[in-house]
Amino acid sequence: MTTEATTSTKKAAWTALAGHYEALRARHLRELFAQDPQRAEHFSLEAAGVFLDYSKNRITAETRSRLVELARACGLRERIDAMFRGDKINVSENRAVLHVALRAPVGASIVVDGENVVPAVHAVLAKMEQFATSLRDGTWKGYTGKPITNIVNIGIGGSDLGPVMAYEALRYYSRRDLTFRFVSNVDATDFAEVVSDLDPAQTLFIVASKTFTTLETMTNAHLARAWSVGGFGGDESSVAKHFVAVSTNAKEVAKFGIDTANMFGFWDWVGGRYSMDSAIGLSTMLAIGPEHFRAMLAGFHEMDEHFRSAPFEQNLPVLMGLLAVWYNDFFGAQTVAVLPYEQYLKRFPAYLQQLTMESNGKHVTLEGGPVASDTGPIYWGEPGTNGQHSFYQLIHQGTRLIPCDFIAFIESLNDLGNSHDMLLANVFAQGEALAFGKTAAEVKAEGSPDWLVPHRVFEGNRPSNTILVERLTPATLGKLVALYEHNVFTQAAIWDIDAFDQWGVELGKVLAQRIIPELDPASTGALTHDSSTSSLIMRYRTGKLKAAAAR
Ligand code: G6Q
């Protein structure tokens, strides 16, 4: 509950930061580095094996203290404790938020509605491990007795992005004789292309859906069942060997025809976008094996413990969250670019888009009032160095301020030639160029004609974080994901918003359901939409008739 006292402390901390921003905004990183030869040391931190250099941010020690002061005034400490305690901090859905319980060690106790949930988490993990082992060693066979070699995960949003990202990120550790594919879009092309070269006798579908009612997933699951059963001459009893489910909804799973013995459960206190380490990660476990999956969970847990216990000034997710607020609300930056210099993390920015924007794209506070400042920045990105040859131009010389998170690893998993040195040279060079730029005098000294000088000037003073980790492992991935989860949590605490609901995706879903029957050319009911929507529907109906007549 926000009391009058906390409101005024918050206001005071915010006002102090606004004043501090005015004093600091014109200062250049060149100057800040020149003033403090130990700046890199003073603004970097290592925890849980993750090193963060945040010295190339437009901050001073005073900024850091004032931001931490804001975090305190916003009750971040109490909010962290409430999450880890299992309080129902997802207020608009009246739910606890306990992805941290998914990676809690066996002996831990986290109580929701009077029940310690940790044993149930480990029971599901054990069931997943048993299944993963039997599939990986060939004991689990398809309906005709052949081993399963293809695994297709059907899910969308939180039931897709985590599994896809984790599979790509940990491909190095995956079984190369197994094929993993992912279907998410309700566009049938997605399904058709994924199964086009697969043999039903060797293909297992994981239907991953928390609710087991999601339009896209259920549509694709039905396509998959028809395709699979079709491969066995229509024999429905094949479903038991070729379909498993990950869900909280046993009733719907059974209705679909999947034996609930082959269902892996989770709970309403796991949000979709926070679920890659729950049973939603079954495809990940099948790919990398139970041991690596456990290592990933341990990595998550290490970062959880750091977030829960480290003082804010030395807390990686807290500092990153506060920096995001600093740029979003004081500098007016609208986006954050996440730029992994690691090919295996190619889907990491896409994964983060859901985590960050579905969580913090909110316009009302926990109590339902309008927010006092801008919330959720737009997260985006692509792996380096590819991005350097495309959109980095705008980051370097455009008119917008785009804080960047660079992510790199000291060791390459594919150490060929001197590629890794070149990769790392580029990530270091980008941070340097963004921060320090190139002055007109420097450009001139290089012999540029006067007319060309302005084009070649880099003003610099463009902020970045550099995250440097030893090696991409399952544990590292867990740490990185947890780092961003808690970074998002920190931002939400400052803005006093519910980072765990997603009402914003509802309206479109409801309207689509209403439109589906209206697309039938034979439908006769009057269209009562706005003129634009109605005429688009009419045009589609007519087009469909024409296309059918031409066939
Ligand atoms: C995530 C969201 C959303 C959800 C999908 C899939 O936090 O809730 O992306 O994961 O809509 O939902 P189901 O798992 O219920 O199919």
Side-chain angles (χ1 to χ4, degrees), residues 155-161 208-218 246-248 266 270-275 280 354 358-359 500-502 505 509:
I156 196 163
S159 302
D160 168 69
L161 287 159
S209 176
K210 183 172 165 179
T211 55
F212 229 74
T213 55
T214 305
L215 173 87
E216 291 87 341
T217 303
M218 296 327 295
V246 178
S247 189
T248 56
F266 60 119
V270 183
R273 55 193 173 276
Y274 296 87
S275 67
I280 289 290
Q354 185 194 25
E358 204 166 53
S359 295
F500 302 104
D501 61 10
Q502 56 283 314
V505 296
K509 281 193 196 173

PDB file of all heavy atoms in Angstrom, residues 155-161 208-218 246-248 266 270-275 280 354 358-359 500-502 505 509, ligand 1:
ATOM      1  N   GLY A 155       3.610 -23.875 -29.254  1.00  0.00           N
ATOM      2  CA  GLY A 155       3.247 -22.924 -28.198  1.00  0.00           C
ATOM      3  C   GLY A 155       3.414 -21.535 -28.763  1.00  0.00           C
ATOM      4  O   GLY A 155       3.914 -21.355 -29.878  1.00  0.00           O
ATOM      5  N   ILE A 156       3.003 -20.553 -28.011  1.00  0.00           N
ATOM      6  CA  ILE A 156       3.183 -19.169 -28.491  1.00  0.00           C
ATOM      7  C   ILE A 156       3.467 -18.261 -27.302  1.00  0.00           C
ATOM      8  O   ILE A 156       3.158 -18.615 -26.153  1.00  0.00           O
ATOM      9  CB  ILE A 156       1.940 -18.695 -29.309  1.00  0.00           C
ATOM     10  CG1 ILE A 156       2.273 -17.434 -30.126  1.00  0.00           C
ATOM     11  CG2 ILE A 156       0.724 -18.463 -28.415  1.00  0.00           C
ATOM     12  CD1 ILE A 156       1.283 -17.126 -31.240  1.00  0.00           C
ATOM     13  N   GLY A 157       4.054 -17.118 -27.572  1.00  0.00           N
ATOM     14  CA  GLY A 157       4.362 -16.159 -26.498  1.00  0.00           C
ATOM     15  C   GLY A 157       5.305 -16.794 -25.497  1.00  0.00           C
ATOM     16  O   GLY A 157       6.338 -17.364 -25.860  1.00  0.00           O
ATOM     17  N   GLY A 158       4.923 -16.757 -24.248  1.00  0.00           N
ATOM     18  CA  GLY A 158       5.766 -17.316 -23.195  1.00  0.00           C
ATOM     19  C   GLY A 158       5.977 -18.810 -23.347  1.00  0.00           C
ATOM     20  O   GLY A 158       6.927 -19.368 -22.791  1.00  0.00           O
ATOM     21  N   SER A 159       5.112 -19.482 -24.085  1.00  0.00           N
ATOM     22  CA  SER A 159       5.262 -20.926 -24.259  1.00  0.00           C
ATOM     23  C   SER A 159       6.058 -21.263 -25.521  1.00  0.00           C
ATOM     24  O   SER A 159       6.105 -22.414 -25.946  1.00  0.00           O
ATOM     25  CB  SER A 159       3.873 -21.585 -24.304  1.00  0.00           C
ATOM     26  OG  SER A 159       3.182 -21.289 -23.118  1.00  0.00           O
ATOM     27  N   ASP A 160       6.658 -20.244 -26.101  1.00  0.00           N
ATOM     28  CA  ASP A 160       7.449 -20.439 -27.324  1.00  0.00           C
ATOM     29  C   ASP A 160       8.790 -19.702 -27.248  1.00  0.00           C
ATOM     30  O   ASP A 160       9.850 -20.273 -27.506  1.00  0.00           O
ATOM     31  CB  ASP A 160       6.652 -19.922 -28.532  1.00  0.00           C
ATOM     32  CG  ASP A 160       7.488 -19.818 -29.793  1.00  0.00           C
ATOM     33  OD1 ASP A 160       7.873 -20.867 -30.332  1.00  0.00           O
ATOM     34  OD2 ASP A 160       7.763 -18.688 -30.243  1.00  0.00           O
ATOM     35  N   LEU A 161       8.732 -18.426 -26.901  1.00  0.00           N
ATOM     36  CA  LEU A 161       9.946 -17.600 -27.021  1.00  0.00           C
ATOM     37  C   LEU A 161      11.086 -18.091 -26.136  1.00  0.00           C
ATOM     38  O   LEU A 161      12.258 -18.085 -26.556  1.00  0.00           O
ATOM     39  CB  LEU A 161       9.608 -16.138 -26.697  1.00  0.00           C
ATOM     40  CG  LEU A 161       8.805 -15.441 -27.802  1.00  0.00           C
ATOM     41  CD1 LEU A 161       8.065 -14.230 -27.261  1.00  0.00           C
ATOM     42  CD2 LEU A 161       9.719 -15.021 -28.940  1.00  0.00           C
ATOM     43  N   ALA A 208       2.604 -27.013 -25.690  1.00  0.00           N
ATOM     44  CA  ALA A 208       2.970 -26.219 -24.516  1.00  0.00           C
ATOM     45  C   ALA A 208       2.013 -25.050 -24.380  1.00  0.00           C
ATOM     46  O   ALA A 208       2.059 -24.112 -25.169  1.00  0.00           O
ATOM     47  CB  ALA A 208       4.408 -25.716 -24.667  1.00  0.00           C
ATOM     48  N   SER A 209       1.133 -25.147 -23.422  1.00  0.00           N
ATOM     49  CA  SER A 209       0.178 -24.051 -23.221  1.00  0.00           C
ATOM     50  C   SER A 209      -0.295 -24.066 -21.781  1.00  0.00           C
ATOM     51  O   SER A 209      -0.915 -25.043 -21.335  1.00  0.00           O
ATOM     52  CB  SER A 209      -1.018 -24.211 -24.170  1.00  0.00           C
ATOM     53  OG  SER A 209      -1.969 -23.212 -23.894  1.00  0.00           O
ATOM     54  N   LYS A 210      -0.016 -22.987 -21.087  1.00  0.00           N
ATOM     55  CA  LYS A 210      -0.427 -22.896 -19.692  1.00  0.00           C
ATOM     56  C   LYS A 210      -1.939 -23.104 -19.569  1.00  0.00           C
ATOM     57  O   LYS A 210      -2.412 -23.898 -18.778  1.00  0.00           O
ATOM     58  CB  LYS A 210      -0.019 -21.516 -19.157  1.00  0.00           C
ATOM     59  CG  LYS A 210      -0.315 -21.287 -17.706  1.00  0.00           C
ATOM     60  CD  LYS A 210       0.309 -19.960 -17.276  1.00  0.00           C
ATOM     61  CE  LYS A 210      -0.250 -19.493 -15.956  1.00  0.00           C
ATOM     62  NZ  LYS A 210       0.349 -18.225 -15.522  1.00  0.00           N
ATOM     63  N   THR A 211      -2.689 -22.416 -20.411  1.00  0.00           N
ATOM     64  CA  THR A 211      -4.149 -22.472 -20.310  1.00  0.00           C
ATOM     65  C   THR A 211      -4.751 -23.611 -21.132  1.00  0.00           C
ATOM     66  O   THR A 211      -5.862 -24.059 -20.878  1.00  0.00           O
ATOM     67  CB  THR A 211      -4.746 -21.161 -20.847  1.00  0.00           C
ATOM     68  OG1 THR A 211      -4.235 -20.966 -22.185  1.00  0.00           O
ATOM     69  CG2 THR A 211      -4.350 -19.976 -19.978  1.00  0.00           C
ATOM     70  N   PHE A 212      -4.059 -24.048 -22.136  1.00  0.00           N
ATOM     71  CA  PHE A 212      -4.529 -25.045 -23.108  1.00  0.00           C
ATOM     72  C   PHE A 212      -5.799 -24.572 -23.818  1.00  0.00           C
ATOM     73  O   PHE A 212      -6.653 -25.370 -24.218  1.00  0.00           O
ATOM     74  CB  PHE A 212      -4.744 -26.417 -22.457  1.00  0.00           C
ATOM     75  CG  PHE A 212      -4.082 -27.521 -23.255  1.00  0.00           C
ATOM     76  CD1 PHE A 212      -2.714 -27.675 -23.239  1.00  0.00           C
ATOM     77  CD2 PHE A 212      -4.843 -28.396 -24.036  1.00  0.00           C
ATOM     78  CE1 PHE A 212      -2.098 -28.668 -23.993  1.00  0.00           C
ATOM     79  CE2 PHE A 212      -4.230 -29.392 -24.789  1.00  0.00           C
ATOM     80  CZ  PHE A 212      -2.854 -29.525 -24.762  1.00  0.00           C
ATOM     81  N   THR A 213      -5.933 -23.279 -23.957  1.00  0.00           N
ATOM     82  CA  THR A 213      -7.099 -22.733 -24.678  1.00  0.00           C
ATOM     83  C   THR A 213      -6.645 -21.698 -25.713  1.00  0.00           C
ATOM     84  O   THR A 213      -7.474 -21.138 -26.417  1.00  0.00           O
ATOM     85  CB  THR A 213      -8.071 -22.021 -23.704  1.00  0.00           C
ATOM     86  OG1 THR A 213      -7.343 -21.031 -22.987  1.00  0.00           O
ATOM     87  CG2 THR A 213      -8.718 -22.990 -22.736  1.00  0.00           C
ATOM     88  N   THR A 214      -5.350 -21.424 -25.797  1.00  0.00           N
ATOM     89  CA  THR A 214      -4.864 -20.363 -26.687  1.00  0.00           C
ATOM     90  C   THR A 214      -5.139 -20.721 -28.152  1.00  0.00           C
ATOM     91  O   THR A 214      -4.774 -21.805 -28.614  1.00  0.00           O
ATOM     92  CB  THR A 214      -3.352 -20.149 -26.445  1.00  0.00           C
ATOM     93  OG1 THR A 214      -3.188 -19.890 -25.055  1.00  0.00           O
ATOM     94  CG2 THR A 214      -2.791 -19.006 -27.256  1.00  0.00           C
ATOM     95  N   LEU A 215      -5.785 -19.777 -28.836  1.00  0.00           N
ATOM     96  CA  LEU A 215      -6.248 -20.012 -30.215  1.00  0.00           C
ATOM     97  C   LEU A 215      -5.141 -20.565 -31.118  1.00  0.00           C
ATOM     98  O   LEU A 215      -5.312 -21.592 -31.788  1.00  0.00           O
ATOM     99  CB  LEU A 215      -6.773 -18.683 -30.784  1.00  0.00           C
ATOM    100  CG  LEU A 215      -7.136 -18.694 -32.253  1.00  0.00           C
ATOM    101  CD1 LEU A 215      -8.570 -19.145 -32.452  1.00  0.00           C
ATOM    102  CD2 LEU A 215      -6.931 -17.324 -32.883  1.00  0.00           C
ATOM    103  N   GLU A 216      -4.003 -19.890 -31.138  1.00  0.00           N
ATOM    104  CA  GLU A 216      -2.924 -20.273 -32.050  1.00  0.00           C
ATOM    105  C   GLU A 216      -2.429 -21.688 -31.737  1.00  0.00           C
ATOM    106  O   GLU A 216      -2.291 -22.532 -32.628  1.00  0.00           O
ATOM    107  CB  GLU A 216      -1.731 -19.308 -31.924  1.00  0.00           C
ATOM    108  CG  GLU A 216      -1.977 -17.908 -32.439  1.00  0.00           C
ATOM    109  CD  GLU A 216      -2.582 -16.975 -31.394  1.00  0.00           C
ATOM    110  OE1 GLU A 216      -3.147 -17.473 -30.380  1.00  0.00           O
ATOM    111  OE2 GLU A 216      -2.486 -15.754 -31.583  1.00  0.00           O
ATOM    112  N   THR A 217      -2.178 -21.922 -30.455  1.00  0.00           N
ATOM    113  CA  THR A 217      -1.605 -23.211 -30.063  1.00  0.00           C
ATOM    114  C   THR A 217      -2.585 -24.350 -30.289  1.00  0.00           C
ATOM    115  O   THR A 217      -2.213 -25.413 -30.808  1.00  0.00           O
ATOM    116  CB  THR A 217      -1.157 -23.138 -28.587  1.00  0.00           C
ATOM    117  OG1 THR A 217      -0.232 -22.062 -28.479  1.00  0.00           O
ATOM    118  CG2 THR A 217      -0.518 -24.431 -28.127  1.00  0.00           C
ATOM    119  N   MET A 218      -3.861 -24.112 -29.954  1.00  0.00           N
ATOM    120  CA  MET A 218      -4.818 -25.200 -30.122  1.00  0.00           C
ATOM    121  C   MET A 218      -5.075 -25.467 -31.616  1.00  0.00           C
ATOM    122  O   MET A 218      -5.200 -26.614 -32.038  1.00  0.00           O
ATOM    123  CB  MET A 218      -6.139 -24.898 -29.380  1.00  0.00           C
ATOM    124  CG  MET A 218      -5.976 -24.811 -27.871  1.00  0.00           C
ATOM    125  SD  MET A 218      -4.711 -25.889 -27.132  1.00  0.00           S
ATOM    126  CE  MET A 218      -5.349 -27.524 -27.451  1.00  0.00           C
ATOM    127  N   VAL A 246       2.357 -29.702 -21.906  1.00  0.00           N
ATOM    128  CA  VAL A 246       2.857 -28.935 -20.763  1.00  0.00           C
ATOM    129  C   VAL A 246       1.776 -27.922 -20.464  1.00  0.00           C
ATOM    130  O   VAL A 246       1.458 -27.077 -21.319  1.00  0.00           O
ATOM    131  CB  VAL A 246       4.169 -28.207 -21.101  1.00  0.00           C
ATOM    132  CG1 VAL A 246       4.624 -27.384 -19.909  1.00  0.00           C
ATOM    133  CG2 VAL A 246       5.254 -29.183 -21.529  1.00  0.00           C
ATOM    134  N   SER A 247       1.162 -28.027 -19.305  1.00  0.00           N
ATOM    135  CA  SER A 247       0.005 -27.177 -19.048  1.00  0.00           C
ATOM    136  C   SER A 247      -0.346 -27.136 -17.566  1.00  0.00           C
ATOM    137  O   SER A 247       0.142 -27.943 -16.772  1.00  0.00           O
ATOM    138  CB  SER A 247      -1.190 -27.712 -19.841  1.00  0.00           C
ATOM    139  OG  SER A 247      -2.262 -26.813 -19.772  1.00  0.00           O
ATOM    140  N   THR A 248      -1.234 -26.175 -17.224  1.00  0.00           N
ATOM    141  CA  THR A 248      -1.810 -26.183 -15.877  1.00  0.00           C
ATOM    142  C   THR A 248      -3.248 -26.727 -15.952  1.00  0.00           C
ATOM    143  O   THR A 248      -3.914 -26.839 -14.938  1.00  0.00           O
ATOM    144  CB  THR A 248      -1.885 -24.738 -15.317  1.00  0.00           C
ATOM    145  OG1 THR A 248      -2.624 -23.939 -16.231  1.00  0.00           O
ATOM    146  CG2 THR A 248      -0.510 -24.124 -15.112  1.00  0.00           C
ATOM    147  N   PHE A 266       2.528 -27.108 -14.388  1.00  0.00           N
ATOM    148  CA  PHE A 266       3.088 -25.983 -13.642  1.00  0.00           C
ATOM    149  C   PHE A 266       1.937 -25.229 -12.998  1.00  0.00           C
ATOM    150  O   PHE A 266       0.850 -25.796 -12.863  1.00  0.00           O
ATOM    151  CB  PHE A 266       4.074 -25.142 -14.461  1.00  0.00           C
ATOM    152  CG  PHE A 266       3.592 -24.490 -15.719  1.00  0.00           C
ATOM    153  CD1 PHE A 266       3.612 -23.116 -15.846  1.00  0.00           C
ATOM    154  CD2 PHE A 266       3.137 -25.233 -16.792  1.00  0.00           C
ATOM    155  CE1 PHE A 266       3.201 -22.480 -17.006  1.00  0.00           C
ATOM    156  CE2 PHE A 266       2.722 -24.616 -17.963  1.00  0.00           C
ATOM    157  CZ  PHE A 266       2.749 -23.247 -18.067  1.00  0.00           C
ATOM    158  N   VAL A 270       3.327 -19.023 -12.097  1.00  0.00           N
ATOM    159  CA  VAL A 270       4.404 -18.890 -13.091  1.00  0.00           C
ATOM    160  C   VAL A 270       3.827 -18.140 -14.298  1.00  0.00           C
ATOM    161  O   VAL A 270       2.959 -18.658 -14.998  1.00  0.00           O
ATOM    162  CB  VAL A 270       4.900 -20.266 -13.593  1.00  0.00           C
ATOM    163  CG1 VAL A 270       6.068 -20.080 -14.570  1.00  0.00           C
ATOM    164  CG2 VAL A 270       5.293 -21.157 -12.441  1.00  0.00           C
ATOM    165  N   GLY A 271       4.294 -16.929 -14.516  1.00  0.00           N
ATOM    166  CA  GLY A 271       3.805 -16.171 -15.674  1.00  0.00           C
ATOM    167  C   GLY A 271       4.401 -16.749 -16.948  1.00  0.00           C
ATOM    168  O   GLY A 271       5.529 -17.262 -16.943  1.00  0.00           O
ATOM    169  N   GLY A 272       3.674 -16.673 -18.048  1.00  0.00           N
ATOM    170  CA  GLY A 272       4.148 -17.247 -19.309  1.00  0.00           C
ATOM    171  C   GLY A 272       5.563 -16.811 -19.668  1.00  0.00           C
ATOM    172  O   GLY A 272       6.428 -17.627 -19.990  1.00  0.00           O
ATOM    173  N   ARG A 273       5.817 -15.498 -19.587  1.00  0.00           N
ATOM    174  CA  ARG A 273       7.134 -14.991 -19.994  1.00  0.00           C
ATOM    175  C   ARG A 273       8.219 -15.253 -18.953  1.00  0.00           C
ATOM    176  O   ARG A 273       9.363 -14.859 -19.152  1.00  0.00           O
ATOM    177  CB  ARG A 273       7.030 -13.502 -20.327  1.00  0.00           C
ATOM    178  CG  ARG A 273       6.455 -12.646 -19.218  1.00  0.00           C
ATOM    179  CD  ARG A 273       6.096 -11.262 -19.754  1.00  0.00           C
ATOM    180  NE  ARG A 273       5.386 -10.432 -18.783  1.00  0.00           N
ATOM    181  CZ  ARG A 273       4.083 -10.474 -18.557  1.00  0.00           C
ATOM    182  NH1 ARG A 273       3.329 -11.342 -19.199  1.00  0.00           N
ATOM    183  NH2 ARG A 273       3.510  -9.674 -17.679  1.00  0.00           N
ATOM    184  N   TYR A 274       7.813 -15.858 -17.851  1.00  0.00           N
ATOM    185  CA  TYR A 274       8.781 -16.212 -16.803  1.00  0.00           C
ATOM    186  C   TYR A 274       8.843 -17.736 -16.650  1.00  0.00           C
ATOM    187  O   TYR A 274       9.194 -18.232 -15.596  1.00  0.00           O
ATOM    188  CB  TYR A 274       8.358 -15.578 -15.462  1.00  0.00           C
ATOM    189  CG  TYR A 274       8.385 -14.059 -15.489  1.00  0.00           C
ATOM    190  CD1 TYR A 274       7.280 -13.333 -15.931  1.00  0.00           C
ATOM    191  CD2 TYR A 274       9.524 -13.361 -15.102  1.00  0.00           C
ATOM    192  CE1 TYR A 274       7.316 -11.932 -15.985  1.00  0.00           C
ATOM    193  CE2 TYR A 274       9.562 -11.977 -15.149  1.00  0.00           C
ATOM    194  CZ  TYR A 274       8.462 -11.269 -15.589  1.00  0.00           C
ATOM    195  OH  TYR A 274       8.498  -9.894 -15.638  1.00  0.00           O
ATOM    196  N   SER A 275       8.497 -18.463 -17.739  1.00  0.00           N
ATOM    197  CA  SER A 275       8.273 -19.897 -17.560  1.00  0.00           C
ATOM    198  C   SER A 275       9.285 -20.812 -18.246  1.00  0.00           C
ATOM    199  O   SER A 275       9.129 -22.026 -18.232  1.00  0.00           O
ATOM    200  CB  SER A 275       6.869 -20.270 -18.051  1.00  0.00           C
ATOM    201  OG  SER A 275       6.771 -20.108 -19.451  1.00  0.00           O
ATOM    202  N   ILE A 280       7.639 -25.791 -19.186  1.00  0.00           N
ATOM    203  CA  ILE A 280       7.660 -25.185 -20.530  1.00  0.00           C
ATOM    204  C   ILE A 280       9.038 -25.403 -21.164  1.00  0.00           C
ATOM    205  O   ILE A 280       9.187 -25.417 -22.380  1.00  0.00           O
ATOM    206  CB  ILE A 280       7.270 -23.676 -20.450  1.00  0.00           C
ATOM    207  CG1 ILE A 280       5.794 -23.519 -20.122  1.00  0.00           C
ATOM    208  CG2 ILE A 280       7.642 -22.912 -21.724  1.00  0.00           C
ATOM    209  CD1 ILE A 280       4.811 -23.922 -21.221  1.00  0.00           C
ATOM    210  N   GLN A 354       9.585  -9.700 -25.175  1.00  0.00           N
ATOM    211  CA  GLN A 354       8.376 -10.079 -24.441  1.00  0.00           C
ATOM    212  C   GLN A 354       8.558  -9.846 -22.944  1.00  0.00           C
ATOM    213  O   GLN A 354       7.702  -9.263 -22.285  1.00  0.00           O
ATOM    214  CB  GLN A 354       8.002 -11.542 -24.690  1.00  0.00           C
ATOM    215  CG  GLN A 354       6.670 -11.836 -23.996  1.00  0.00           C
ATOM    216  CD  GLN A 354       6.320 -13.295 -23.872  1.00  0.00           C
ATOM    217  OE1 GLN A 354       7.189 -14.152 -23.876  1.00  0.00           O
ATOM    218  NE2 GLN A 354       5.046 -13.582 -23.746  1.00  0.00           N
ATOM    219  N   GLU A 358       6.075  -6.839 -22.324  1.00  0.00           N
ATOM    220  CA  GLU A 358       4.794  -7.321 -21.822  1.00  0.00           C
ATOM    221  C   GLU A 358       4.720  -7.054 -20.322  1.00  0.00           C
ATOM    222  O   GLU A 358       3.654  -6.832 -19.761  1.00  0.00           O
ATOM    223  CB  GLU A 358       4.622  -8.819 -22.120  1.00  0.00           C
ATOM    224  CG  GLU A 358       3.171  -9.237 -22.157  1.00  0.00           C
ATOM    225  CD  GLU A 358       2.946 -10.607 -22.769  1.00  0.00           C
ATOM    226  OE1 GLU A 358       3.585 -11.574 -22.317  1.00  0.00           O
ATOM    227  OE2 GLU A 358       2.144 -10.718 -23.698  1.00  0.00           O
ATOM    228  N   SER A 359       5.874  -7.049 -19.686  1.00  0.00           N
ATOM    229  CA  SER A 359       5.883  -6.813 -18.240  1.00  0.00           C
ATOM    230  C   SER A 359       5.652  -5.338 -17.916  1.00  0.00           C
ATOM    231  O   SER A 359       4.808  -4.995 -17.086  1.00  0.00           O
ATOM    232  CB  SER A 359       7.217  -7.270 -17.636  1.00  0.00           C
ATOM    233  OG  SER A 359       7.363  -8.665 -17.778  1.00  0.00           O
ATOM    234  N   PHE A 500       3.355  -8.229 -13.976  1.00  0.00           N
ATOM    235  CA  PHE A 500       3.065  -9.655 -14.159  1.00  0.00           C
ATOM    236  C   PHE A 500       1.706  -9.943 -14.789  1.00  0.00           C
ATOM    237  O   PHE A 500       1.340 -11.094 -14.958  1.00  0.00           O
ATOM    238  CB  PHE A 500       3.242 -10.383 -12.826  1.00  0.00           C
ATOM    239  CG  PHE A 500       4.638 -10.187 -12.290  1.00  0.00           C
ATOM    240  CD1 PHE A 500       4.896  -9.309 -11.254  1.00  0.00           C
ATOM    241  CD2 PHE A 500       5.707 -10.829 -12.889  1.00  0.00           C
ATOM    242  CE1 PHE A 500       6.196  -9.092 -10.803  1.00  0.00           C
ATOM    243  CE2 PHE A 500       7.008 -10.618 -12.458  1.00  0.00           C
ATOM    244  CZ  PHE A 500       7.257  -9.747 -11.414  1.00  0.00           C
ATOM    245  N   ASP A 501       0.971  -8.898 -15.123  1.00  0.00           N
ATOM    246  CA  ASP A 501      -0.267  -9.151 -15.873  1.00  0.00           C
ATOM    247  C   ASP A 501      -0.031  -8.765 -17.335  1.00  0.00           C
ATOM    248  O   ASP A 501       1.058  -8.319 -17.701  1.00  0.00           O
ATOM    249  CB  ASP A 501      -1.458  -8.394 -15.250  1.00  0.00           C
ATOM    250  CG  ASP A 501      -1.271  -6.886 -15.247  1.00  0.00           C
ATOM    251  OD1 ASP A 501      -0.320  -6.391 -15.894  1.00  0.00           O
ATOM    252  OD2 ASP A 501      -2.063  -6.178 -14.606  1.00  0.00           O
ATOM    253  N   GLN A 502      -1.012  -8.976 -18.188  1.00  0.00           N
ATOM    254  CA  GLN A 502      -0.872  -8.642 -19.609  1.00  0.00           C
ATOM    255  C   GLN A 502      -2.244  -8.423 -20.224  1.00  0.00           C
ATOM    256  O   GLN A 502      -2.602  -9.034 -21.220  1.00  0.00           O
ATOM    257  CB  GLN A 502      -0.083  -9.715 -20.380  1.00  0.00           C
ATOM    258  CG  GLN A 502      -0.605 -11.144 -20.310  1.00  0.00           C
ATOM    259  CD  GLN A 502      -0.269 -11.809 -19.012  1.00  0.00           C
ATOM    260  OE1 GLN A 502       0.860 -11.739 -18.540  1.00  0.00           O
ATOM    261  NE2 GLN A 502      -1.270 -12.461 -18.400  1.00  0.00           N
ATOM    262  N   VAL A 505      -3.037  -7.712 -24.066  1.00  0.00           N
ATOM    263  CA  VAL A 505      -3.128  -8.626 -25.215  1.00  0.00           C
ATOM    264  C   VAL A 505      -4.552  -9.178 -25.375  1.00  0.00           C
ATOM    265  O   VAL A 505      -4.843  -9.882 -26.323  1.00  0.00           O
ATOM    266  CB  VAL A 505      -2.101  -9.798 -25.119  1.00  0.00           C
ATOM    267  CG1 VAL A 505      -0.684  -9.272 -25.181  1.00  0.00           C
ATOM    268  CG2 VAL A 505      -2.316 -10.622 -23.868  1.00  0.00           C
ATOM    269  N   LYS A 509      -7.538 -10.347 -28.927  1.00  0.00           N
ATOM    270  CA  LYS A 509      -7.972 -11.759 -28.943  1.00  0.00           C
ATOM    271  C   LYS A 509      -9.488 -11.836 -29.021  1.00  0.00           C
ATOM    272  O   LYS A 509     -10.047 -12.601 -29.797  1.00  0.00           O
ATOM    273  CB  LYS A 509      -7.544 -12.442 -27.629  1.00  0.00           C
ATOM    274  CG  LYS A 509      -6.106 -12.857 -27.535  1.00  0.00           C
ATOM    275  CD  LYS A 509      -5.986 -13.782 -26.323  1.00  0.00           C
ATOM    276  CE  LYS A 509      -4.571 -13.969 -25.874  1.00  0.00           C
ATOM    277  NZ  LYS A 509      -4.473 -14.713 -24.617  1.00  0.00           N
TER     278      LYS A 509
HETATM  279  C1  G6Q B   1       3.145 -14.340 -21.167  1.00  0.00           C
HETATM  280  C2  G6Q B   1       1.810 -14.236 -21.698  1.00  0.00           C
HETATM  281  C3  G6Q B   1       1.602 -14.891 -23.049  1.00  0.00           C
HETATM  282  C4  G6Q B   1       1.357 -16.394 -22.982  1.00  0.00           C
HETATM  283  C5  G6Q B   1       0.822 -16.867 -24.318  1.00  0.00           C
HETATM  284  C6  G6Q B   1       0.588 -18.342 -24.360  1.00  0.00           C
HETATM  285  O1  G6Q B   1       3.501 -13.906 -20.104  1.00  0.00           O
HETATM  286  O2  G6Q B   1       0.902 -14.658 -20.766  1.00  0.00           O
HETATM  287  O3  G6Q B   1       2.641 -14.658 -23.954  1.00  0.00           O
HETATM  288  O4  G6Q B   1       2.524 -17.064 -22.641  1.00  0.00           O
HETATM  289  O5  G6Q B   1      -0.366 -16.172 -24.617  1.00  0.00           O
HETATM  290  O6  G6Q B   1      -0.340 -18.709 -23.391  1.00  0.00           O
HETATM  291  P1  G6Q B   1      -0.597 -20.218 -23.063  1.00  0.00           P
HETATM  292  O7  G6Q B   1       0.656 -20.792 -22.513  1.00  0.00           O
HETATM  293  O8  G6Q B   1      -1.715 -20.235 -22.069  1.00  0.00           O
HETATM  294  O9  G6Q B   1      -0.969 -20.897 -24.346  1.00  0.00           O
END
